[in-house]
Amino acid sequence: DLSRLFPPPLSKLIQTVQEQLRGPRGDPGKCACNNPTSASNMRPNFRPESGEINGFGAMVFDKESDLSRISHTVPVGTMAYVKDADTFYLKTSDKTNTWRVISMMAQSDAINLPIPEPEPQKIYVPRQFPQIAGKKLYLVARNERLRGDLRQGNRLTGAHAGSIYACQRSANAVGLGRAFYPLISTDVFNMDYVVPPMYRYGVPLVNLNGEIIFKDFMSLIQGQSRPQAKILSFDGQDIMDDPAAPCLWLGRRPIYLNGDYEYAAQAKCRNWQSTYPTEQALTATLPLESNAPGLLSKENTKLVACSQFCRMLCIQIAPTNT
């Protein structure tokens, strides 16, 4: 009530001005949203289900024999390009492993690639690993082929933090114990320092079979020697000759140039969160280049698109005593 706040003449004047400014009250308006989108119709932006190809372009192989080796492991809809034949292939059947040859002509031929004999399903149980006198560090690859976001399907294993969890979970599944860490660089972390200083020299890096791969951590990091034994995944597969993932994710070491963060963030797939083909990350080539003195030597490293599949290494950062 304006009469309580202002004298009667002034309050009456204010009411008159308000009425003139407001004008007559109209009819209630109608909602323009005739078909509002319900929450049930909104589809969240989930990642593809396990087995779907999420990325850009086709898988690339040098020869048809390389494609044939892994053709039965990829889902229907996978497209592959074979450099030697300059030809695209499209998988159309899982049961018969049928791939259609994509041609520029009006018609295209279909071929059936051979399916290897099925292997018995592996059951991962804790195992007794070979006993080696003295200290050792296990160097093991993750089982999955990974794009630049390091994510395995819909699981929470992406980027650097998720990869720490994935490495430790895989190690626990086969009874290797604790303290496994991904061997990659991030925007703020240099993989040269993943192993504590007291274990960088004189502690051999071994595979699941107890075979010495490198004499110590620094010989690996400095690119001084080639692997002396096979690098195995947690399920025991040799990753050194996998045409579907012919590389190891590394990431360029972070270097801050005059406080320039962008320089430090180069060549790591946006800190391991991107699968875009226009972005890149530093990798090590598998198998090694013939002229490369070591796995991580300059001659054996190159940039690849974040949409490509590579492997990732996990290293034990606290040695096992036997």
Side-chain angles (χ1 to χ4, degrees), residues 17-290:
V17 173
Q18 288 179 341
E19 291 175 358
Q20 291 177 352
L21 292 176
R22 289 175 183 169
R25 178 175 294 182
D27 296 330
K30 295 182 179 180
C31 178
C33 305
N34 295 326
N35 296 311
T37 303
S38 63
S40 60
N41 293 331
M42 296 179 63
R43 183 179 180 182
N45 186 22
F46 288 125
R47 297 180 60 83
E49 295 297 329
S50 177
E52 293 184 7
I53 295 297
N54 176 27
F56 304 84
M59 302 177 73
V60 180
F61 299 91
D62 290 328
K63 299 176 292 185
E64 185 177 299
S65 58
D66 293 336
L67 170 61
S68 181
R69 286 167 52 189
I70 61 95
S71 60
H72 64 290
T73 66
V74 296
V76 171
T78 299
M79 182 176 289
Y81 173 70
V82 177
K83 295 180 181 178
D84 191 38
D86 192 22
T87 305
F88 281 95
Y89 296 77
L90 178 67
K91 186 168 184 177
T92 58
S93 171
D94 266 331
K95 185 176 181 180
T96 58
N97 198 27
T98 301
W99 290 71
R100 185 166 293 277
V101 180
I102 302 176
S103 173
M104 296 300 179
M105 306 298 291
Q107 297 180 346
S108 60
D109 300 326
I111 61 172
N112 293 334
L113 297 175
I115 302 177
E117 292 294 328
E119 298 181 359
Q121 186 175 4
K122 295 183 179 180
I123 301 176
Y124 301 112
V125 296
R127 51 178 281 196
Q128 295 295 325
F129 293 95
Q131 301 297 304
I132 302 175
K135 297 178 179 179
K136 61 183 179 293
L137 295 174
Y138 281 103
L139 182 67
V140 193
R142 282 181 58 179
N143 298 335
E144 310 83 20
R145 303 173 184 127
L146 304 167
R147 295 188 189 270
D149 60 355
L150 307 181
R151 185 180 295 274
Q152 178 192 358
N154 287 335
R155 301 183 183 179
L156 299 177
T157 56
H160 184 251
S163 296
I164 299 174
Y165 168 75
C167 283
Q168 188 56 66
R169 181 180 181 182
S170 298
N172 289 337
V174 297
L176 278 180
R178 302 164 53 187
F180 277 80
Y181 209 82
L183 192 61
I184 54 175
S185 292
T186 71
D187 288 348
V188 296
F189 181 78
N190 190 335
M191 71 177 182
D192 294 5
Y193 303 104
V194 63
V195 173
M198 67 284 291
Y199 304 133
R200 294 176 189 169
Y201 294 94
V203 180
L205 306 185
V206 302
N207 61 19
L208 294 182
N209 297 331
E211 301 165 330
I212 296 178
I213 309 173
F214 298 99
K215 66 178 183 179
D216 54 29
F217 178 69
M218 293 310 297
S219 66
L220 164 65
I221 289 298
Q222 295 175 356
Q224 297 175 346
S225 62
R226 299 168 70 91
Q228 303 171 31
K230 295 179 179 179
I231 299 178
L232 305 177
S233 59
F234 283 103
D235 58 3
Q237 300 298 314
D238 181 8
I239 69 163
M240 299 296 288
D241 189 19
D242 181 4
C247 46
L248 286 173
W249 292 119
L250 300 176
R252 183 166 287 163
R253 293 161 173 80
I255 300 175
Y256 288 87
L257 188 62
N258 298 325
D260 185 0
Y261 174 79
E262 288 298 326
Y263 185 83
Q266 289 179 358
K268 286 182 282 289
C269 293
R270 289 192 179 271
N271 207 24
W272 307 114
Q273 299 181 74
S274 172
T275 58
Y276 284 96
T278 55
E279 296 175 347
Q280 297 178 317
L282 188 69
T283 66
T285 302
L286 295 177
L288 276 69
E289 299 288 352
S290 58

